[in-house]
Amino acid sequence: MQILENYSYRERYLAANLIVDIVVAVYYSQAVLSLSVDEYGEIGRIIVKTIVLAILLSLVVFGFLCRDKKQALDERDMRVRAYGNGIGYWVLTILMMFLMGQFLLEDSVFRGTSMIEYALNTKIPLYHFHAMLFALITADTARTLSQLIRYRRGYE
Amino acid sequence: MKEAKLSNQVKLLRLQHGDITQAQLAKAVGVTRQTILAIEGNKYSPSLELAFRIAKYFDEPLESVFQYED
């Protein structure tokens, strides 16, 4: 396709990564949010389904977007990668500090005011695990997106 | 502090040396074609090592390929 020729191999690789990450995260989130707290047993089945979806989707998306020969990384790629890792780390740190604050509130004199209490009351299963998973996925998405933007703008 | 800018004559030298393509130059100096494109557009400042490799490829002194403007 003509539009794909405007993107380098690495840009298409990052775009494929981003598409797979977002689709899988959305699928998993809506599947988990449809469960109630006492349906812990279903989580295992959802994880297996999510892994299968991720594998199949990766085969299709990477097969379509990254058909040509893989390019070796050069110095500019390494700088873009380092920049993206920095952004991802920064996002992860902010989210982890926020979650630590929430976990602290859960057991403190402010009991009843944290988002965790709210989540438990609205019955999100394995809330602590899912809150940390959300932080990891958000950080990874920020990392990939920042690299893609950096490439499209043409710098470093 | 005023921003300094690195400019270069890579595109001009490519044309002067028999219309070498970006892909050919990229392969000769060990980077991707997109990196040569970014260098020519002054959007990426190469490392000192890559700058020397490009200058050596064209058999020119470094300062005639890359210029530093204060």
Side-chain angles (χ1 to χ4, degrees):
Chain A
M1 281 168 71
Q2 185 66 39
I3 192 165
L4 290 180
E5 288 170 17
N6 295 328
Y7 292 82
S8 67
Y9 173 84
R10 197 136 302 277
E11 286 168 343
R12 282 183 277 123
Y13 180 84
L14 288 170
N17 223 339
L18 199 60
I19 291 167
V20 172
D21 282 355
I22 290 173
V23 171
V24 169
V26 168
Y27 170 79
Y28 181 79
S29 304
Q30 63 86 24
V32 166
L33 288 173
S34 67
L35 295 178
S36 60
V37 158
D38 50 354
E39 290 178 297
Y40 279 65
E42 289 296 310
I43 293 279
R45 192 177 300 168
I46 291 174
I47 290 174
V48 172
K49 279 184 182 176
T50 307
I51 291 170
V52 171
L53 172 72
I55 292 169
L56 293 177
L57 193 64
S58 296
L59 288 173
V60 173
V61 175
F62 281 90
F64 179 68
L65 291 176
C66 309
R67 274 174 295 188
D68 45 348
K69 199 178 159 195
K70 190 180 174 186
Q71 275 181 351
L73 293 176
D74 69 5
E75 62 173 48
R76 180 167 157 268
D77 296 321
M78 300 300 265
R79 277 167 74 168
V80 172
R81 181 187 269 189
Y83 173 79
N85 287 344
I87 297 280
Y89 177 74
W90 184 79
V91 171
L92 186 63
T93 304
I94 300 264
L95 288 173
M96 280 299 167
M97 285 172 72
F98 175 75
L99 285 178
M100 283 163 67
Q102 291 295 320
F103 295 157
L104 198 64
L105 282 177
E106 195 186 359
D107 280 327
S108 72
V109 290
F110 301 107
R111 193 177 181 90
T113 60
S114 76
M115 283 173 62
I116 290 172
E117 299 282 347
Y118 173 77
L120 291 174
N121 289 335
T122 54
K123 303 188 189 318
I124 295 175
L126 301 173
Y127 178 78
H128 296 82
F129 167 76
H130 286 120
M132 286 193 279
L133 184 65
F134 171 76
L136 282 173
I137 291 170
T138 306
D140 191 52
T141 304
R143 179 180 66 86
T144 310
L145 196 60
S146 63
Q147 288 179 345
L148 197 54
I149 290 170
R150 200 78 168 174
Y151 273 119
R152 288 314 292 165
R153 289 171 75 183
Y155 331 131
E156 292 187 28
Chain B
M1 203 170 108
K2 196 181 162 190
E3 195 180 340
K5 195 165 162 51
L6 199 68
S7 63
N8 67 79
Q9 310 300 321
V10 174
K11 188 172 184 177
L12 186 68
L13 287 165
R14 272 199 307 112
L15 299 176
Q16 285 175 353
H17 284 74
D19 222 352
I20 299 161
T21 64
Q22 288 176 337
Q24 286 171 323
L25 175 60
K27 193 175 177 186
V29 297
V31 294
T32 60
R33 189 186 65 79
Q34 288 75 25
T35 298
I36 298 296
L37 182 72
I39 291 170
E40 287 184 1
N42 289 323
K43 289 179 173 176
Y44 173 66
S45 299
S47 66
L48 198 54
E49 189 185 346
L50 177 57
F52 271 111
R53 281 208 302 268
I54 292 171
K56 193 176 175 187
Y57 177 82
F58 290 122
D59 201 19
E60 297 276 349
L62 187 65
E63 59 272 23
S64 63
V65 183
F66 294 95
Q67 293 82 38
Y68 180 77
E69 294 159 14
D70 229 350

